[in-house]
Amino acid sequence: MSRIGKAPVAIPAGVTVTVSDKNLVTVKGPKGELTQQVDRDITVAQEDGNILVTRPTDQKKHKSLHGLYRSLLNNMVVGVTEGYKTTQELVGVGYRASANGNTLELTLGFSHQIVFVLPQEIKVSTTADKGKNPTITLESIDKQLIGQVAAKIRSFRAPEPYKGKGIKFEGEILRRKAGKSAKK
């Protein structure tokens, strides 16, 4: 069996999990509610405060779906209890970010500002401390959505390898290249 797939997902106190007859899993917790449609071949059951995911056969398709859906359900449980948070840094002279509700305005060295409207499920905040790079902080209960939005923001100005200018994740280590050497 899949090592990830056979591990049970613990359901903490305050979280309710319901599985419909069409394999639609709904997880409700203190931070919100998430739903996930599970493949009809995969069986999802609740036993002793745990979610168990089982597969019918050892076919390659069933093996891959087994671990996938277990991970997705675990991410949902963690999301409705703790939530997810992603921080990005803007590295570059004159690079700025400002949040206004669910709208993020970015100044990234282009001739125009970039206005990015975020989904309702994501909360955004920005900081610009003196002597430090401006940061963008995203918070949500949906791990897939927050990762997709963070990747989209990063794509507006991905870090370049020579000076490291651009939008990078906090703590991300970039591979740097040497510049041109002078001709002798």
Side-chain angles (χ1 to χ4, degrees):
M1 286 186 99
S2 165
R3 287 189 222 170
I4 294 172
K6 69 181 179 182
V9 178
I11 303 172
V15 175
T16 58
V17 178
T18 55
V19 182
S20 72
D21 56 343
K22 294 185 179 179
N23 258 3
L24 182 70
V25 180
T26 306
V27 180
K28 291 182 187 175
K31 290 200 175 239
E33 177 181 340
L34 292 170
T35 58
Q36 175 67 47
Q37 181 66 47
V38 178
D39 191 270
R40 56 185 150 80
D41 292 340
I42 304 297
T43 308
V44 180
Q46 276 183 280
E47 288 181 20
D48 303 328
N50 290 324
I51 302 172
L52 298 176
V53 181
T54 55
R55 65 176 187 245
T57 66
D58 283 340
Q59 292 177 4
K60 189 171 184 177
K61 176 187 174 191
H62 291 153
K63 283 183 174 183
S64 61
L65 291 177
H66 189 209
L68 168 76
Y69 284 119
R70 190 265 175 206
S71 292
L72 292 177
L73 295 176
N74 185 52
N75 291 343
M76 290 167 60
V77 170
V78 172
V80 297
T81 54
E82 301 167 19
Y84 291 99
K85 186 176 180 180
T86 301
T87 306
Q88 294 176 313
E89 293 179 40
L90 280 69
V91 180
V93 177
Y95 287 12
R96 291 189 299 274
S98 62
N100 186 7
N102 258 18
T103 306
L104 183 66
E105 294 179 7
L106 300 167
T107 305
L108 300 173
F110 298 119
S111 61
H112 58 282
Q113 277 193 340
I114 297 171
V115 179
F116 184 59
V117 179
L118 294 134
Q120 293 293 337
E121 296 88 4
I122 293 184
K123 295 180 184 83
V124 63
S125 62
T126 58
T127 59
D129 297 331
K130 189 169 184 174
K132 294 184 180 176
N133 293 326
T135 60
I136 303 168
T137 305
L138 303 172
E139 293 183 52
S140 178
I141 61 172
D142 192 346
K143 188 175 185 178
Q144 292 174 332
L145 183 65
I146 197 170
Q148 183 179 6
V149 169
K152 180 67 177 171
I153 292 171
R154 186 180 193 271
S155 73
F156 292 136
R157 182 71 101 173
E160 52 94 19
Y162 297 101
K163 293 184 179 179
K165 291 170 50 173
I167 301 174
K168 68 175 195 146
F169 290 102
E170 191 173 61
E172 179 181 6
I173 298 170
L174 301 173
R175 279 191 60 194
R176 301 293 288 270
K177 290 183 180 179
K180 291 181 182 176
S181 58
K183 197 172 186 179
K184 292 183 180 181

